Every structure is written in structure tokens, then in C-alpha cells.
Amino acid sequence: MSWSGGKDSAFALWKLMNDPRYEVVRLHTTFGEESRRVGMHGIHESLVEKQAESIGMMLDKIYYPASGDNKEYETAINSYLDTLKTEGIETIAYGDIYLEDLKAYREQQLSKRGFKAIFPLWKKDTAQTARDFIAAGFQTLICAADADLIEEKWVGSVFNLEFLKNLPYKIDPCGENGEFHTFCYDGPIFQHPIAVSKKQTISKSYHFKTDEGKEIEKKFWFAELG
């Protein structure tokens, strides 16, 4: 299972654990080589280790360079896939819901190594999926958010019906377009809850180039969790 530590990967894992066609044997997470954090979630690897421990599964860690070089990332992933193949594992699951280009990229990269990708949440209605996730008993915090779309006050808060009710209509209820990210600390996949709280909210700016070559700046909120 490709594991980000957030609600979508947690919900996808829960569905697979309840599907007799599959046996999930381990998780893998990619971390920044220097930051030791999960991409745009900003979650430190020590907290992801706590999740894996509570789930009762082995956690494999893949590190990508601070440069963000995609070729180096793909080299690291391919090396990991080769290791999995020697253990008889040939299927990777993801929590993606409707980003077609990301799904196609994953399938293309995996097929080169003889692997198959599965997407337990694919094409599910995201408003209903968010409500089903909450109804199933999962507990998760908003750990990161696009500062242009989400108010700072929500960062570090619980992902619940109140949060969903206050979301502007243009924001996907599951944050599928990167509007926000979450850290799951309790629910039916965990043997015990992870004691976690927000220490502070920090802001960080990133610079991106559009397809037209225009450089833009984006600010994100991150909850420093401990």
C-alpha cells in the first residue's frame, strides 16, 4: 500500500483489508531525504512509523532528493519494486480518487516493472466518500492546506462534518486537488489511537512554473504535529 498517512490511503487500506481478494502485507512511504517528511503533508517520519506500528504492518521508506529530481525518484522507486518482486509482491494500491494523469503515470511506471496498480476509491463521489470515512470511525487532522483556499484556523483541526460544512463550494471534500492534506490517527485499521496534537501552525511558500513558463508563488499552511 502506498501510504501517505492521510485519510485517502487509510480508507483505501481499510477497504482492501476487508476484501477477501487481497492480502495487504506492507506499507511504503516516500520521504524527503533531508526533511524526513512526507511531501506536501509535512508529516515527520516518526509519526508515520507510529501509524504503521498501530496498524501492525511493516513500513518501507523511500527517500527522494531535496532537488526534487524526478529521475532520481523513479530510480529509487524502481529499485524498491525490484525488491518487492523478489518477495512475490506484484501489486501496489493507491488512494487516488479521480486524478486521471496521476493514475496513468502510476500505471505506466509500474507496468514497466511488471506490476499492477489498484485504486480502491477510484471514481467514488468525494462528498460521499468523505462522509463514509467519518462514519466508519476514522479520526484525522488537517495537517496542511493551501493558504489561498483554507483559513489558518482549520489547520490542525479534526476532519469532521463541521469542517466539510464550512468548506467553500469550489474545494473538493476530499482535497483531491491538493487543497488540503490530513494525518490519520485513529480508526478501524488501528490497534490503538496515536496521541498527537498541534504544536504550532507554520507557513511556507513555494515557487512553481506554469505550462506557459510563468512563475507563481503559492503559500501553504502546515501543522507542526507532535
Side-chain angles (χ1 to χ4, degrees), residues 199-214:
K199 295 179 178 178
Q200 62 178 328
T201 300
I202 60 176
S203 65
K204 189 172 181 180
S205 294
Y206 296 87
H207 292 85
F208 303 94
K209 277 194 175 179
T210 65
D211 293 338
E212 295 76 31
K214 180 183 176 182

Side-chain angles (χ1 to χ4, degrees), residues 130-142:
R131 292 191 295 269
D132 290 346
F133 173 83
I134 294 167
F138 283 97
Q139 297 287 320
T140 189
L141 298 176
I142 308 300

